Amino acid sequence: MDKKVTIVGAGHVGATAAQRLAEKELCDVVLVDIIEGVPQGKALDLTEAAPIEKHDAHLTGANAYDTSEGSDIVIITAGIPRKPGMSRDDLISTNAGIMKTVTEQIVKLSPDTILIIVSNPLDAMCHVAFETSGFPKNRVLGMAGILDSARFRAFISMELGVSVENTHAFVLGGHGDTMVPLPRYSTVAGIPITELMPQDRIDAIVDRTRNGGAEIVGLLKTGSAYYAPASAAVEMAESILKDKKKILPCATYLEGEYGIKDLFIGVPIKLGANGIEEIIEIKLTDEEQAALNKSADAVRELKEILKGLSY
Ligand SMILES: NC(=O)c1ccc[n+]([C@@H]2O[C@H](COP(=O)([O-])OP(=O)(O)OC[C@H]3O[C@@H](n4cnc5c(N)ncnc54)[C@H](O)[C@@H]3O)[C@@H](O)[C@H]2O)c1
């Protein structure tokens, strides 16, 4: 492959993303993790599946960063996931330290790369990577909105008994309980869901979307969701690698757009070879803007907590 993607953290999300990238033949993949043998073992296992899955992507695993040199994209999933009863925010002190160390290592060998952050609490981890890397804002972005929108789409499809392919949904804001699903901009074959189902069903779906991560943590008990998160991160990587210029909701550093300043928060962006190529500002009602502002306040609080941590 002529493109290389490094995934730091060869755990559930990282290894699944590696599998999807390789099976789509989008790039060669380097898996990096601190646990000896794990990235090497998973890369070898995926390599041995390649003849059956019919792809020629090259996968390697390592504990050091040398093989990550010159990566087009680096997806950072390193960190701890939450357990039942924990919020994403409870992970902040552990994961901030990990994010800083990982980013320092990555930028030394891949100064022109695009960083896709996955570790939680997502919006706060984007700040750590942004500040540590010193990269311009078009090259640091976070995965959350695509996952939250995919959950919303899955629930719309279940509710109406229609193909997921006909569904489209938008979820803005931070990746937490204050996320802002937008029913007005969520459609089935172009028809807003507000015309297809009663308000109480929309409210129930919005609520399930907000708690989508916790629902899975509650079922798994030993970790958090990873199939859909990996798919979401790979959709972002694909749009960059193929310069597709997809409009996708991603955590993005805002400098006044949507009335929000100096904060990573999920908004629709155009994603291409240069990373974030445009921030799309859609018109929000007063109620939607208030919900987005509330979500931004929650992210701002996390940013304040970061300031008080020594990581
Ligand atoms: N943004 C989202 O929507 C979203 C969705 C799912 C998971 N997540 C987050 O992604 C992270 C990973 O989740 P997971 O389920 O894959 O967890 P996991 O425990 O399966 O994998 C995490 C991996 O990171 C590795 N790691 C820890 N410190 C490291 C370091 N300094 N350098 C390299 N590797 C290191 C661990 O050894 C482990 O293999 C968690 O923080 C989780 O909350 C975010």
Side-chain angles (χ1 to χ4, degrees), residues 183-298:
R184 244 171 14 100
Y185 284 107
S186 302
T187 58
V188 174
I191 308 160
I193 59 164
T194 44
E195 291 184 26
L196 296 172
M197 51 179 117
Q199 193 56 45
D200 62 326
R201 291 310 304 154
I202 293 177
D203 292 345
I205 288 174
V206 162
D207 204 44
R208 193 170 177 194
T209 301
R210 279 211 183 95
N211 295 307
E215 184 177 359
I216 294 193
V217 171
L219 290 166
L220 295 180
K221 295 180 185 72
T222 53
S224 55
Y226 54 100
Y227 291 116
S231 296
V234 168
E235 181 169 39
M236 291 166 74
E238 183 172 24
S239 193
I240 296 167
L241 294 169
K242 293 187 174 170
D243 194 21
K244 284 176 80 81
K245 303 191 192 298
K246 276 190 167 182
I247 309 293
L248 297 166
C250 300
T252 307
Y253 190 70
L254 297 186
E255 290 178 302
E257 299 88 351
Y258 290 92
I260 295 166
K261 224 173 155 10
D262 304 333
L263 211 62
F264 272 90
I265 197 131
V267 295
I269 55 159
K270 187 196 281 180
L271 195 53
N274 294 318
I276 299 169
E277 298 186 353
E278 194 183 335
I279 294 172
I280 315 286
E281 283 197 75
I282 52 176
K283 242 182 148 44
L284 300 179
T285 63
D286 291 348
E287 202 182 330
E288 289 161 350
Q289 182 67 48
L292 186 62
N293 292 346
K294 190 173 161 214
S295 192
D297 288 344

Side-chain angles (χ1 to χ4, degrees), residues 7-16 32-35 38-39 42 62-63 65 76-82 88 91 94-95 97-99 101-102 117-123 125 142-145 147-148 151 175 213 222-230 232:
I7 301 175
V8 187
H12 287 93
V13 179
T16 311
V32 178
D33 200 289
I34 41 165
I35 305 178
V38 165
K42 291 192 180 181
N63 301 115
Y65 283 81
I76 306 181
T77 75
I80 50 165
R82 55 187 169 145
R88 293 177 180 94
L91 309 172
T94 308
N95 285 355
I98 294 173
M99 185 59 63
T101 319
V102 168
I117 310 304
V118 176
S119 314
N120 273 319
L122 194 266
D123 309 275
M125 292 306 106
M143 185 288 290
L147 169 64
D148 298 329
R151 286 180 172 147
H175 186 49
T222 53
S224 55
Y226 54 100
Y227 291 116

Side-chain angles (χ1 to χ4, degrees), residues 110-180:
S110 301
D112 300 319
T113 198
I114 294 173
L115 297 175
I116 298 178
I117 310 304
V118 176
S119 314
N120 273 319
L122 194 266
D123 309 275
M125 292 306 106
C126 289
H127 275 282
V128 175
F130 184 52
E131 276 158 26
T132 308
S133 66
F135 282 4
K137 62 175 190 170
N138 63 305
R139 290 200 281 125
V140 183
L141 64 163
M143 185 288 290
I146 302 175
L147 169 64
D148 298 329
S149 302
R151 286 180 172 147
F152 198 7
R153 290 175 63 187
F155 301 146
I156 291 169
S157 150
M158 288 179 206
E159 179 73 18
L160 295 174
V162 297
S163 165
V164 287
E165 288 182 48
N166 278 141
T167 63
H168 184 83
F170 252 123
V171 178
L172 307 183
H175 186 49
D177 306 338
T178 57
M179 69 177 76
V180 188

